[in-house]
Amino acid sequence: MALQDRIPRFRSTSEPREGPRATAEQSQTEHAVYAAIRGLQAGFVATIIMTAFRLPIMRSLPPSANFWSQYVAGGDPDEHPIAGLLLHFAYGIQAGAIFGGLFALQDAERSIEPEQRGIIWGMIYGMALSAFGSQVMLKELLGIRLGGDELALFHAGHLVYGLSLGAWVGSRTEGVEDPEEEYEYDDGN
C-alpha cells in the first residue's frame, strides 16, 4: 500500500479527539491508546498532587529513593533525592498510562458520567497500587515496615493519587465535548 493510501486513515486535526462524539467514532483500540496517552498526562499530574500531599506530612522522600539506593546505586537513600523523585514520577506516569488504557476498555456502567466513573475507578486503582506498594514493594522488596500512622498516610497519598488520576482521565477521555462551555469557566465557576 502506498503512502498516499494510508494518509486518509489519519484524522484531521479539526476532528474532535475527546468527548462523547470522538469516543463514538474511534475503535476500541484507538480509544484505549488515546486514553493511555491521556493517562500519561494524568499520571504526571496525579503524581505531582500526591507528592505535594505527601511531602509536608511525612517529611521524607518517597520510598523509591530506598529502591534506588538498594538496587541501583548503593549508599543511603538520602544521598539520592533526585533519582528517587524521578523514579517516583516514572512509577506514577506509567501507572497513569495503564489506568487510562484500562479505563477506556471497561465498558460497564456507561450510564454513570465518565468523571464519576473515573473518580470511583481511580480510588479503587489508587488503593490497589497502595496495597501492592505496601505489601510487595515495601515489605518484600525493600524490607520496610511502616508504622500505623505512616501506613495510613501512605494509603492516603495513593488515594489522593487515584482520585486525581481518575478525575483527569474520566473528564478528558469520554467527558464533555467542550469543557469551557460545560463547566462554565467563563461564568466564574
Side-chain angles (χ1 to χ4, degrees):
M1 181 178 275
L3 178 61
Q4 59 268 31
D5 294 333
R6 293 178 187 213
I7 292 175
R9 291 184 185 174
F10 295 119
R11 290 178 192 253
S12 74
T13 55
S14 63
E15 292 181 31
R17 295 195 175 155
E18 2 184 89
R21 197 174 86 210
T23 302
E25 295 173 3
Q26 295 171 332
S27 72
Q28 189 174 21
T29 303
E30 285 177 316
H31 182 56
V33 168
Y34 177 75
I37 292 168
R38 281 297 194 189
L40 284 170
Q41 297 168 334
F44 179 74
V45 170
T47 304
I48 290 172
I49 293 169
M50 178 173 114
T51 305
F53 171 81
R54 182 190 185 288
L55 280 178
I57 296 169
M58 296 189 81
R59 295 184 195 101
S60 66
L61 290 173
S64 50
N66 295 62
F67 182 89
W68 187 264
S69 70
Q70 191 168 338
Y71 291 101
V72 179
D76 189 62
D78 292 334
E79 297 172 0
H80 309 288
I82 301 299
L85 282 172
L86 289 174
L87 192 54
H88 178 67
F89 272 88
Y91 291 156
I93 291 168
Q94 65 84 25
I98 292 169
F99 177 79
L102 291 173
F103 184 79
L105 293 176
Q106 78 80 22
D107 59 0
E109 301 181 36
R110 291 284 180 182
S111 61
I112 299 173
E113 292 294 325
E115 294 88 347
Q116 295 167 351
R117 276 189 300 114
I119 289 170
I120 291 167
W121 285 112
M123 287 189 313
I124 293 167
Y125 187 72
M127 295 316 298
L129 289 176
S130 189
F132 175 80
S134 67
Q135 296 301 308
V136 176
M137 297 300 290
L138 293 181
K139 274 187 184 176
E140 301 300 323
L141 217 54
L142 299 174
I144 297 173
R145 304 226 186 276
L146 297 176
D149 288 343
E150 291 172 318
L151 187 59
L153 290 172
F154 183 82
H155 291 314
H158 285 86
L159 181 60
V160 167
Y161 172 85
L163 284 167
S164 305
L165 180 70
W168 184 283
V169 169
S171 67
R172 285 166 174 78
T173 58
E174 298 173 19
V176 298
E177 292 287 348
D178 184 3
E180 296 287 331
E181 181 181 315
E182 177 73 19
Y183 298 130
E184 301 173 8
Y185 291 138
D186 294 334
D187 295 337
N189 288 344

